[in-house]
Amino acid sequence: MPHSRPPLRRLSLAGTLALALPLLGGCAATQAPLPAALSVARQQAAIPFTAATANRIAGSDDYRLDWAADHAGTVRVYAGTSPDGVTTGTPVALGPASGSAVVTGLEPGRRWYFTLVPDNGAPLVIADRALHLPTAPNLRDIGGYRTTDGRWVKMGLIYRSDQLDRLSDADLAAMGALGLSAVADLRTATERARGADRLPRGAAPLVLDVVADSEGSLGGDMRKADAAIAAGKGVEMLIEANREFVSLPSARSAYAALLRRLEQAPPTATLYHCTAGKDRTGWATAVILTLLGVPRETVMADYLLSNAYLRAKNEATQAALAKAGTPIPPAYLEQVLTVRPDYLQSAFDEVERRHGSFDAYLRDGLGLTEADIAALRRLYLAGEAVD
C-alpha cells in the first residue's frame, strides 16, 4: 500500500521561517564543524538529532513535531504509515536544525511515522509513542529514545501495555495493525484465569509469569496484597516486589525469555504486558532500554509516564471502589495504582547488590552473552555510535 503523504496545511513559526532560508542564504555557513575524528562515511551514518518527539494534539488528528540536530542546516519531514520511514515525495514540514512543526491533514485512524531528514547525516523515524487506545491506555511504543552514544531506539518494534482482556473490538483491530508476532503475558496464573488476553490475528501468546516463585503480596495471594494495602504498606510492598523482579528465579527466567524472543522477532513486532503495565512491565522496559544504552534518567522518565497514561483508569478504579464502600483510604490505594521513583530504583539497587553491575546482571542473572547483547543492539538501534 503506498504511503499517504498529504501536503502540509499548517506549520509552526519555526517551520515557516525555515522556508525562507534558501532565499536568505540558508545557515550552511554557520554550521559547526564536525569532529575531525569522524570519517565522512561515519558522519553520514550518524543521526545528528539530539532530541525529537512527535505527539498527537489532544482532541484532534494533528501532530506536533519538535526536534534539535547538531551540524545540520535544514530538516525535511516526511509522513508515512511504516516504521521503515519515507524519504521521498512531498515533505509535510521543513525547518531549521532546531525547529518544530504542526502537521495536519493526515488520514485519521492510522499510526503515522515521521521521517526527519537532515541535510547532513542520517534520517530519524519518530512517532507518537502512545497508541491512544481507550481500553488499553498504557499501550505504548518504547522506541524513540536516544542512547548515550548517539544512536536511537527504533520505533514500531517493541510495545508495552497494561491488561489486554478488556480490549474493545476497535482497539483490538488497532493492535492488529502493529504487525505483532508475539504477545508476552507477564501476569500470574490467577490473573490470566480472571481475564484472558484478547490477541490480534498472527500474534502468538507467550506466558512469562514473572512472580510465579514469589511468596509475597504480588505472588497471586490477593489476601496478602489486600492486607498490605489496607495497612498503608503499599509502598513497602512495591519496593519489595521490584527487588523480586531481580532476585526471583521465575523473574530471571521470564525476563531472559523475553529478551531471547526479542532477539528473534524483527522485522515483526513484540508486545509484553502485565495488569497495569507499570511494575513487571516497567522493569522489563527498564532492562531493555538500559541494555540498549538509554541513559538512566530517560529510563526513569519513561517509567514514570505510566502515571499519566493510567490517570483516567486509576480515577475510575478509585471511584468504583468508593461506590462499593471500600474502607481503604484513597491515599493507600494511590500507592499501588501509581509508580514512584523509589519503586524502580529498588530494582536497580538490587541489581547492584546481587551482581555488582548491570552488565553482570545481564550476563549472570539473565544468561545473556556478549553476542546476544550485540545482536539486540544491532536489531533495535538506528544510526552510528558517535562517542
Side-chain angles (χ1 to χ4, degrees):
M1 178 184 298
H3 300 300
S4 175
R5 293 186 292 273
L8 176 68
R9 295 185 181 175
R10 178 157 53 101
L11 282 175
S12 69
L13 177 60
T16 302
L17 289 174
L19 293 174
L21 287 177
L23 300 177
L24 299 175
C27 58
T30 63
Q31 291 179 37
L34 285 165
L38 290 179
S39 67
V40 173
R42 190 177 176 192
Q43 291 172 18
Q44 293 307 309
I47 295 173
F49 295 96
T50 57
T53 57
N55 293 289
R56 197 178 80 186
I57 298 172
S60 76
D61 292 306
D62 303 337
Y63 290 84
R64 165 69 185 248
L65 311 181
D66 294 274
W67 65 84
D70 289 338
H71 317 299
T74 58
V75 175
R76 286 176 170 78
V77 183
Y78 299 87
T81 55
S82 167
D84 295 332
V86 175
T87 57
T88 58
T90 304
V92 296
L94 174 67
S98 293
S100 62
V102 174
V103 179
T104 70
L106 299 178
E107 180 184 347
R110 308 290 296 274
R111 188 169 193 224
W112 288 95
Y113 295 86
F114 301 92
T115 307
L116 309 180
V117 182
D119 59 0
N120 188 17
L124 173 65
V125 180
I126 61 172
D128 189 338
R129 288 191 190 90
L131 273 295
H132 301 283
L133 304 186
T135 54
N138 209 12
L139 199 166
R140 47 194 165 108
D141 197 320
I142 76 164
Y145 290 121
R146 191 174 188 261
T147 67
T148 55
D149 65 5
R151 290 181 285 183
W152 284 77
V153 181
K154 294 178 183 178
M155 303 205 75
L157 290 176
I158 309 176
Y159 297 91
R160 56 178 294 174
S161 184
D162 49 334
Q163 64 199 96
L164 303 178
D165 57 293
R166 301 180 183 179
L167 282 176
S168 66
D169 290 343
D171 288 352
L172 182 62
M175 271 187 61
L178 299 179
L180 299 172
S181 63
V183 172
D185 190 341
L186 309 182
R187 300 177 300 163
T188 64
T190 300
E191 290 170 297
R192 297 194 305 273
R194 192 165 56 238
D197 281 351
R198 298 193 70 193
L199 300 181
R201 183 176 301 175
L206 180 61
V207 174
L208 301 175
D209 188 339
V210 170
V211 294
D213 295 336
S214 177
E215 297 181 359
S217 302
L218 290 188
D221 189 339
M222 294 307 299
R223 290 174 299 179
K224 285 185 179 181
D226 289 345
I229 297 169
K233 301 294 185 181
V235 171
E236 292 87 341
M237 180 180 76
L238 285 176
I239 285 176
E240 178 57 31
N242 275 269
R243 292 182 183 134
E244 288 193 333
F245 298 159
V246 176
S247 64
L248 288 176
S250 59
R252 296 197 302 271
S253 175
Y255 291 126
L258 176 59
L259 290 168
R260 286 195 297 271
R261 172 63 202 179
L262 290 175
E263 194 174 345
Q264 301 167 2
T268 58
T270 301
L271 181 147
Y272 53 90
H273 78 97
C274 53
T275 295
K278 65 182 183 70
D279 298 308
R280 289 160 290 186
T281 296
W283 179 241
T285 306
V287 169
I288 296 166
L289 293 179
T290 303
L291 181 156
L292 294 177
V294 175
R296 181 68 58 83
E297 58 269 24
T298 305
V299 173
M300 181 64 76
D302 179 84
Y303 174 77
L304 294 175
L305 282 175
S306 283
N307 290 336
Y309 287 115
L310 292 171
R311 182 173 291 116
K313 183 178 181 179
N314 289 343
E315 288 174 352
T317 298
Q318 289 270 31
L321 291 173
K323 185 176 181 179
T326 178
I328 302 175
Y332 290 1
L333 289 169
E334 185 179 7
Q335 293 175 350
V336 296
L337 291 175
T338 59
V339 291
R340 301 183 179 192
D342 288 352
Y343 298 167
L344 184 63
Q345 187 58 49
S346 66
F348 279 116
D349 290 345
E350 188 71 7
V351 164
E352 293 292 328
R353 189 181 75 83
R354 286 181 172 268
H355 301 284
S357 69
F358 191 84
D359 287 344
Y361 165 67
L362 293 177
R363 181 184 66 246
D364 303 329
L366 302 183
L368 269 65
T369 66
E370 290 299 322
D372 292 326
I373 295 170
L376 288 165
R377 290 173 179 167
R378 184 175 63 253
L379 291 168
Y380 293 102
L381 292 178
E384 176 77 21
V386 294
D387 294 330

